[in-house]
Amino acid sequence: MADAALQIEHLTSGYGEAMVLRDITLSLQQGEVLAVLGKNGMGKSTLLKTIMGFLPPHGGTIRIHGTPTTGLSPHRLAARSVAYSPQDQAIFQDLSVEENLRLGLRSDRGFAPALDRVAGFFPFLAKRRRQAAGTLSGGEQKMLIMARALLSRPRLMLVDEISEGLQPSVILRMAEVMRSELSGSQLSILLIEQNVQFALSVAQRYAVLTRGEIVDTGLIAQPGVEARIHDHLAV
Amino acid sequence: MSAPMRDAAPARLPSERFRLELGGIGALTLLGLALVAVGPLLLDRYSVNILIRSFLYGSIAVTVDILWGFTGVLSFGQSAFFAIGAYACGLAFSHLDFTPLVAVAALGGGVVVAGLVAALIAWLAFGTGVSPLYISVVTLVLSIVFVQVIYAGGDFTGSSSGLSGFDTFDLSNEAWFRIAGVALVLVTLLGWIFVRSDAGRLLVSIRENEQRCRYFGISTSWVKGALLVVSAVVAALAGYAYAAYTDVVAPDLGDFQFGTMLVIWVALGGRGTLIGPAIIAVLIDFVSAWLSGSLPFVWQLVVGAVFIVVIVIMPQGLGPALAGLVRRLLPRVSRIQPTAARLAEAPTYDIETHMQMGHAPAAVEITGVARSYGSLHVLEDISFTGRRGELVSLVGPNGAGKTTLIRCISDGQERTRGRIAIQGREVGRMPPERCVRLGLGRKFQTPNVFDALTVAESLRVSRSRLERLSPWRRADEIHLPEAAMQVARATGLVAQLGTTVRHLSHGAKQALELAMVLAMEPSVLLLDEPTAGLTKPERTLIGGILVDLVAKHGLCILLIEHDLEFVREISSRIIVLHQGRIVLDGSVEEVVTSELVRTIYTGEPQAIGEPAAAGPGSDG
Amino acid sequence: MTDLLLDILTTAGILFVVAVGLLIVFGVLKIINFAHGGFLTLGGYAALIVTELNWSPWLAAPVALVIGLLLGAAVERLIVRPLYSRPLDAILATWGLSIVVVQLITIGFGRSTQFVLSPVQGAVPLLGTSYSLYRLIMLIVALVLGGLIGVVMQGTRLGLAARAVIMNETLAQSLGINSELVRFATFSVGAGIATVAGALITPLLSIDPLMGLPWLLNAFMLVMVSGTSLISLAAASLVLGGAQVVVSTYSSPVLGALTIVVLAAVLLRIRPAGFARA
């Protein structure tokens, strides 16, 4: 069996003394989408930051495509075809749309065809490539983030709350794009979400994170999953 | 927090510890005085000459350390204050006859000018909204301006060659040696007593977290300004003595290089140790003078190179590094018992006693408040009233504007539009420290504490508006109101009073900040996720305390919380924010059963209001 | 009047050349390099060596560039890199380095004031007056240097990476940019520009081991009011440098020497963003 795209075992992590994540074990198979759901402040973003090498884990192991990555700096992970879209400050506001996209590739070679490809998903990108990214609307900025992540054809995507603050039509578009990129490729996605419907529409499996621990995990195809997740998240 | 209570060995009381340390420093003081007394008898004439200057420099290094090492105010211009004192002496004796009256007037003049210049610098640098780096920039400019003013003074100031050969005090070198030596010992001793006192801990808390201090109602600008003025006066006195002794003043006494050299001495000796900088300043200046004949430039080179190495590999400086080494060699000597004050109940406070009964105004009244960053509207048209005895929870997803709202209530500079009144008094454009004095207490989202202080010291600083901090003593008791005491007891903080906050768990820091805020005896409490990172029993407990504060003491609490279960248990009312607007304001029952809230939280595709574009980076 | 205008323009050019190395280091590394003055001095002495070896004065700048690049690279590795997370200590450590540089120069060349040969001499007729050719060349150097840095920053992949690091280093890293390498290259180039600037200004002045200090202070204040923008720096050099020329001409050179630092300090108090967009 091929190595998992992402294999996390007994991961403990946090900021300084504060343990935000406790004993997390997760795996993401190649070609799979795993949605990690949970309310604010439950450690979802910390999980991605630890995987990406911004936070040193206090314990446990992380493997990407079979290779341990603990201790690798973020830019080395990016070089291994990992694309990370943070939740906050994920675009360069003062750079143009095109410059933001260029930074999605490690060199300018092959940029033109790649741009054409993602502009196929989000046509506004081609039209407004000279515009400063900070002047795009919130939804357009999220689409830019998604396009930039897809540009390099990564093997693993770590996506933090891409649907936050988006109107329903844009969320549907986003889900469509992700599904079409996934079909027939080796792409795997770790999707951090609060929006249950969106997560369920693209993921095959889910995990619920509550106060730094995984409290539930399962297949999305099971009956009654949605109600079950709502129970975890709702009032 | 719920961690097992650590060693039950009783901690030493602050006053005991203080006396013990005072014994140590007293011995050191006596040693210093003895050396000063016998120095002229043992040393050759040249060394005595040099050391007079070195002692004076040592005194200024001590003031730089109090400003920078303890309070975090990095001044490159301490040299200018020194030179102002020196020129007061040089100018007076050059242009007027030397009489006792002139001598005293010159001294007074030098001190007053230095103090006024320092006050001007403080006004420029410590105003609201001025960058913390500005003090360094403006003191650097001060030193440049000083030198150019002397240049521009022509014959009056002696321009670039300075003034010399004026009549001055008829004192022997031995007498000057003793004056300068005793001054250094005294400045160091007084400085030491001050920084170890309760008020001195306030300096460290300003360095560690000025924002938190301001939200305790402490006027940090005033504290830093007063400190700068006192330091300037001490430097000017040293400068006056320098000029009176050497009979020479020159512009380079006040220049940027000397100002920076003082900073380097402090960094080498160990910031925040007082004695380290004093000793290093004397040592380096003395050796420099000795070597300036034989190895003039090589010596400077060595100082520069050593300085770089120390900064890179021993950021605390040579003093602490040596002390650490000694401690490792003598492992038994150094077991310092933890020190902590006792907690005592403060007289119970009741909002009722603060306020007229009956027609009391609303605790918080918010009318049409908006906050935008450029074209991004984070809050729009927020109006509600929080009454006494109410626990109002603010809920809503990330980016809804909850934290921004809290910020607007506690800092008059924050909002773009609208009015806010606390206990019937308009907030206007008040800075946080004045909002706090209207009866506000704010707990931040992530624990906002003083890492370098102990738990007890932190609590004492938080009470500083209600109980004056002594500048020469450490008190043994901290009086806390019942609620703060409950939090401290229930979360195990009472067993960790002597622990340095840096070593606390995340949860304990959260509890500490809550206890500190409660210690201020606020009437209106703003809490931003007070229980994030706490365990379930701890949350329940804090919930109980909050409910108590509202029910028994009549506080008004505004609470931001993501854990809706927790919110449901303790709130008397819930306000739901979404995309910067209030979408629901009602009882717990109304909100919990609301379809709208469910939709907001789980993001089902029935749109709420207009599908606005929430910008990135805006927090909840 | 024409002379005054030309003085203002050329002074602005000189200030820009002197400050721009400090600016790019500040922009990318977020630290103030107080060794900048020492690097300027070093460039001046590189020009002196070229003069003493009887080489063409045109070689002064290239020789200074090589020295600056190599020294900058070494300093970044040994001193600056360990201090990234302590920007204040970085200021102090680079100031310590500046002391070391000044003392080394003093040991090697003595304290006396010396002069270097200028590659060009004399004045040229311009707009009805006759003006120093070398000062005009400095203005052109400033324009070329500013243009070159602008083109690199705006038009190349390296410049894009540098701008990304300036704006948001974390995000740049997660997009695969080796920000350590960008910092290293930037510091080295910044030091190189500083030594070149030192070599270029020496024909206008005398050189001595402390020549870098007043330039450092002016450059520091210009960078403080310019933030990280080249255009702001050009504007600040023109406005504050212009004020300096006017004060020196109509009042006194002593006050002129204060103009930049005092105006910059006042400006920073009123408008913390200075000439940069708020």
Side-chain angles (χ1 to χ4, degrees):
Chain A
M1 183 182 139
D3 284 319
L6 175 67
Q7 180 78 48
I8 297 174
E9 274 161 4
H10 307 296
L11 180 70
T12 301
S13 177
Y15 306 86
E17 307 252 325
M19 286 305 151
V20 181
L21 296 176
R22 277 175 288 241
D23 198 23
I24 302 281
T25 295
L26 275 179
S27 78
L28 172 64
Q29 300 310 315
Q30 287 196 16
E32 189 186 38
V33 180
L34 170 67
V36 175
L37 299 146
K39 285 182 288 187
N40 281 327
M42 297 304 177
K44 305 191 301 296
S45 296
T46 309
L47 176 62
L48 290 198
K49 282 182 197 160
T50 311
I51 297 173
M52 199 58 198
F54 284 107
L55 284 177
H58 293 265
T61 56
I62 302 171
R63 288 165 188 276
I64 292 178
H65 301 299
T67 328
T69 61
T70 354
L72 284 189
S73 52
H75 77 267
R76 294 209 185 281
L77 281 160
R80 288 166 179 243
S81 275
V82 181
Y84 166 52
S85 317
Q87 179 183 10
D88 291 327
Q89 297 173 6
I91 61 161
F92 297 99
Q93 305 263 341
D94 293 335
L95 294 185
S96 70
V97 169
E98 181 175 297
E99 286 170 328
N100 266 283
L101 289 170
R102 270 168 67 197
L103 287 166
L105 288 185
R106 308 247 306 138
S107 84
D108 282 345
R109 221 172 314 139
F111 176 65
L115 176 64
D116 286 347
R117 186 170 62 87
V118 295
F121 303 139
F122 306 112
F124 81 97
L125 290 172
K127 273 182 250 152
R128 298 162 72 176
R129 53 202 277 184
R130 302 261 171 252
Q131 193 176 328
T135 63
L136 297 176
S137 77
E140 288 165 341
Q141 293 187 6
K142 291 284 190 185
M143 288 186 262
L144 172 60
I145 295 166
M146 177 58 74
R148 187 181 59 201
L150 292 172
L151 205 69
S152 61
R153 288 192 181 278
R155 292 176 67 200
L156 173 61
M157 273 171 75
L158 309 172
V159 184
D160 199 351
E161 307 247 358
I162 195 80
S163 73
E164 185 197 345
L166 293 187
Q167 50 181 322
S169 62
V170 178
I171 294 183
L172 289 177
R173 180 85 199 112
M174 209 68 104
E176 238 171 72
V177 168
M178 287 170 84
R179 280 194 298 265
S180 91
E181 273 295 284
L182 283 159
S183 63
S185 79
Q186 288 297 297
L187 174 64
S188 321
I189 303 179
L190 186 65
L191 193 66
I192 297 288
E193 266 305 330
Q194 287 200 70
N195 185 324
V196 180
Q197 288 228 327
F198 169 63
L200 298 190
S201 72
V202 282
Q204 287 91 47
R205 283 194 304 128
Y206 74 91
V208 177
L209 202 57
T210 298
R211 272 169 232 139
E213 288 171 62
I214 292 187
V215 294
D216 187 19
T217 159
L219 285 171
I220 281 170
Q222 294 167 167
V225 159
E226 194 172 346
R228 193 173 152 153
I229 295 175
H230 276 307
D231 275 350
H232 283 296
L233 301 185
V235 181
Chain B
M1 295 302 320
S2 60
M5 298 246 177
R6 293 224 297 219
D7 56 275
R12 215 188 272 282
L13 284 173
S15 62
E16 288 170 16
R17 165 86 179 270
F18 190 63
R19 270 197 298 278
L20 222 84
E21 288 182 337
L22 203 57
I25 194 85
L28 221 61
T29 304
L30 291 179
L31 178 70
L33 290 176
L35 285 177
V36 168
V38 301
L41 309 175
L42 302 177
L43 296 165
D44 62 291
R45 195 176 162 73
Y46 183 64
S47 301
V48 170
N49 275 343
I50 298 302
L51 277 172
I52 297 169
R53 183 182 78 181
S54 308
F55 288 159
L56 294 173
Y57 287 177
S59 303
I60 330 175
V62 170
T63 66
V64 172
D65 192 25
I66 292 180
L67 280 173
W68 180 40
F70 286 90
T71 325
V73 173
L74 176 57
S75 157
F76 290 116
Q78 212 58 8
S79 56
F81 300 121
F82 177 74
I84 287 174
Y87 268 88
C89 173
L91 287 171
F93 299 162
S94 296
H95 298 289
L96 302 168
D97 288 333
F98 178 86
T99 65
L101 184 68
V102 169
V104 170
L107 182 64
V111 162
V112 168
V113 171
L116 287 177
V117 171
L120 174 73
I121 296 283
W123 174 74
L124 285 171
F126 303 138
T128 335
V130 181
S131 139
L133 195 70
Y134 190 75
I135 180 65
S136 306
V137 173
V138 78
T139 47
L140 189 153
V141 171
L142 172 70
S143 64
I144 302 171
V145 169
F146 175 83
V147 171
Q148 296 298 326
V149 166
I150 296 298
Y151 281 171
D155 285 343
F156 183 70
T157 57
S159 193
S160 61
S161 46
L163 301 167
S164 60
F166 40 83
D167 283 337
T168 180
F169 297 89
D170 186 19
L171 288 173
S172 67
N173 278 350
E174 287 71 26
W176 277 117
F177 183 90
R178 290 185 178 124
I179 291 173
V182 169
L184 174 60
V185 171
L186 277 186
V187 166
T188 314
L189 176 70
L190 291 178
W192 189 92
I193 291 175
F194 176 57
V195 297
R196 290 268 180 313
S197 73
D198 285 334
R201 298 283 87 189
L202 181 62
L203 305 186
V204 177
S205 59
I206 289 176
R207 180 193 73 198
E208 290 285 304
N209 193 338
E210 182 163 356
Q211 181 194 42
R212 186 64 265 180
C213 286
R214 296 179 69 197
Y215 279 95
F216 285 144
I218 299 163
S219 182
T220 55
S221 317
W222 198 90
V223 175
K224 290 194 292 183
L227 215 54
L228 190 69
V229 169
V230 172
S231 305
V233 166
V234 171
L237 289 171
Y240 183 88
Y242 175 88
Y245 158 67
T246 59
D247 214 11
V248 179
V249 291
D252 61 359
L253 293 179
D255 70 7
F256 162 74
Q257 283 146 292
F258 182 43
T260 313
M261 190 49 85
L262 289 166
V263 172
I264 288 181
W265 289 341
V266 171
L268 275 176
R271 355 184 169 168
T273 64
L274 284 191
I275 297 171
I279 292 175
I280 284 286
V282 171
L283 205 69
I284 293 185
D285 185 58
F286 181 68
V287 179
S288 307
W290 263 108
L291 295 183
S292 65
S294 47
L295 300 163
F297 309 119
V298 175
W299 168 247
Q300 287 285 320
L301 186 72
V302 170
V303 172
V306 167
F307 176 64
I308 298 173
V309 172
V310 168
I311 284 274
V312 172
I313 66 176
M314 290 184 251
Q316 304 107 329
L318 288 171
L322 278 176
L325 197 70
V326 170
R327 214 165 293 154
R328 223 172 303 154
L329 293 176
L330 306 166
R332 275 180 304 161
V333 185
S334 60
R335 282 283 151 254
I336 300 172
Q337 243 174 299
T339 308
R342 282 188 299 253
L343 297 187
E345 294 267 351
T348 46
Y349 82 106
D350 242 318
I351 305 301
E352 309 300 329
T353 61
H354 295 276
M355 306 295 306
Q356 295 279 329
M357 288 290 284
H359 52 279
V364 199
E365 192 160 10
I366 294 169
T367 324
V369 164
R371 174 64 167 125
S372 28
Y373 299 89
S375 59
L376 182 69
H377 303 291
V378 181
L379 283 180
E380 277 183 277
D381 195 25
I382 303 288
S383 300
F384 67 90
T385 302
R387 283 171 290 273
R388 294 184 300 122
E390 245 187 343
L391 197 160
V392 183
S393 288
L394 299 170
V395 303
N398 257 0
K402 304 182 297 289
T403 299
T404 308
L405 177 57
I406 294 280
R407 212 182 288 144
C408 287
I409 298 174
S410 56
D411 182 351
Q413 311 274 338
E414 277 287 334
R415 66 190 187 281
T416 318
R417 265 194 315 282
R419 290 170 53 194
I420 291 173
I422 292 162
Q423 311 239 63
R425 283 181 287 173
E426 288 285 332
V427 161
R429 288 285 170 211
M430 285 183 190
E433 61 268 29
R434 291 188 53 208
C435 292
V436 164
R437 291 176 207 163
L438 300 179
L440 209 65
R442 174 178 175 192
K443 193 212 158 299
F444 290 80
Q445 189 170 5
T446 47
N448 204 339
V449 289
F450 308 113
D451 276 343
L453 266 54
T454 65
V455 170
E457 287 166 345
S458 305
L459 287 167
R460 158 124 25 237
V461 166
S462 73
R463 287 281 292 175
S464 66
R465 284 231 335 117
L466 300 161
E467 288 177 60
R468 281 248 155 264
L469 301 176
S470 162
W472 59 78
R473 284 187 324 111
R474 304 188 79 171
D476 287 335
E477 285 196 340
I478 302 169
H479 299 94
L480 291 184
E482 191 189 334
M485 198 74 115
Q486 276 180 344
V487 172
R489 277 209 200 95
T491 56
L493 281 177
V494 280
Q496 295 178 290
L497 287 172
T499 308
T500 308
V501 172
R502 184 179 297 118
H503 301 130
L504 291 180
S505 72
H506 178 77
K509 286 181 186 171
Q510 288 280 44
L512 173 61
E513 198 192 355
L514 184 60
M516 289 195 293
V517 172
L518 291 172
M520 303 161 60
E521 306 187 359
S523 316
V524 177
L525 197 51
L526 309 176
L527 302 174
D528 199 343
E529 298 196 47
T531 66
L534 300 194
T535 62
K536 182 85 183 158
E538 289 164 348
R539 294 157 82 83
T540 313
L541 198 134
I542 286 185
I545 292 169
L546 297 182
V547 168
D548 235 35
L549 279 170
V550 170
K552 280 200 207 145
H553 302 284
L555 263 73
C556 169
I557 298 182
L558 294 186
L559 174 83
I560 294 181
E561 193 43 80
H562 282 301
D563 185 344
L564 294 180
E565 195 184 329
F566 182 68
V567 166
R568 188 162 61 177
E569 280 162 16
I570 65 170
S571 308
S572 40
R573 197 173 125 204
I574 299 180
I575 291 177
V576 185
L577 280 176
H578 186 58
Q579 295 177 351
R581 289 170 181 277
I582 293 181
V583 293
L584 197 61
D585 177 353
S587 68
V588 175
E589 203 48 40
E590 281 172 88
V591 171
V592 167
T593 55
S594 156
E595 194 58 29
L596 186 65
V597 174
R598 204 177 93 91
T599 314
I600 290 172
Y601 267 88
T602 52
E604 283 169 23
Q606 305 105 330
I608 310 119
E610 67 259 60
S618 60
D619 59 351
Chain C
M1 195 61 204
T2 318
D3 274 339
L4 187 70
L5 276 178
L6 286 172
D7 276 348
I8 290 174
L9 284 176
T10 52
T11 301
I14 292 166
L15 285 169
F16 182 85
V17 171
V18 166
V20 72
L22 192 64
L23 179 96
I24 64 170
V25 169
F26 178 61
V28 173
L29 284 80
K30 315 284 184 298
I31 66 154
I32 300 284
N33 172 23
F34 261 26
H36 190 72
F39 292 163
L40 288 167
T41 312
L42 214 56
Y45 279 85
L48 182 68
I49 293 172
V50 168
T51 296
E52 286 184 347
L53 291 174
N54 280 324
W55 292 358
S56 157
W58 293 104
L59 286 175
V63 168
L65 179 65
V66 172
I67 293 175
L69 288 173
L70 294 177
L71 184 70
V75 169
E76 199 276 345
R77 284 280 141 136
L78 298 175
I79 300 176
V80 177
R81 183 166 302 180
L83 301 177
Y84 279 156
S85 54
R86 297 187 267 144
L88 204 65
D89 285 358
I91 294 185
L92 297 178
T94 50
W95 176 251
L97 176 66
S98 183
I99 294 176
V100 168
V101 168
V102 168
Q103 298 309 325
L104 283 174
I105 287 173
T106 312
I107 290 167
F109 295 88
R111 282 172 119 164
S112 59
T113 301
Q114 285 165 291
F115 296 90
V116 301
L117 280 183
S118 169
V120 296
Q121 258 96 32
V124 286
L126 183 73
L127 306 170
T129 181
S130 130
Y131 200 78
S132 156
L133 177 59
Y134 194 76
R135 286 186 72 94
L136 291 171
I137 289 179
M138 282 304 288
L139 178 58
I140 294 166
V141 168
L143 293 171
V144 170
L145 187 61
L148 199 66
I149 297 173
V151 166
V152 169
M153 293 297 272
Q154 299 296 324
T156 67
R157 181 78 200 179
L158 180 72
L160 181 61
R163 279 187 293 153
V165 172
I166 290 174
M167 290 172 194
N168 185 339
E169 184 162 351
T170 314
L171 181 57
Q173 285 172 339
S174 51
L175 292 171
I177 292 171
N178 184 346
S179 62
E180 249 183 34
L181 197 63
V182 172
R183 283 163 171 262
F184 173 72
T186 307
F187 192 86
S188 186
V189 169
I193 295 177
T195 45
V196 168
L200 288 175
I201 55 175
T202 45
L204 292 169
L205 320 142
S206 56
I207 59 172
D208 65 79
L210 290 173
M211 64 175 271
L213 184 66
W215 291 106
L216 166 71
L217 297 174
N218 280 337
F220 170 67
M221 295 306 281
L222 286 171
V223 170
M224 286 286 100
V225 297
S226 305
T228 58
S229 148
L230 278 178
I231 294 176
S232 303
L233 181 64
S237 302
L238 196 61
V239 173
L240 299 183
Q244 182 193 37
V245 170
V246 170
V247 172
S248 301
T249 311
Y250 293 106
S251 176
S252 80
V254 174
L255 285 184
L258 284 179
T259 310
I260 292 179
V261 292
V262 171
L263 284 184
V266 171
L267 180 66
L268 279 176
R269 178 62 168 80
I270 301 167
R271 190 183 141 85
F275 282 86
R277 282 185 298 161

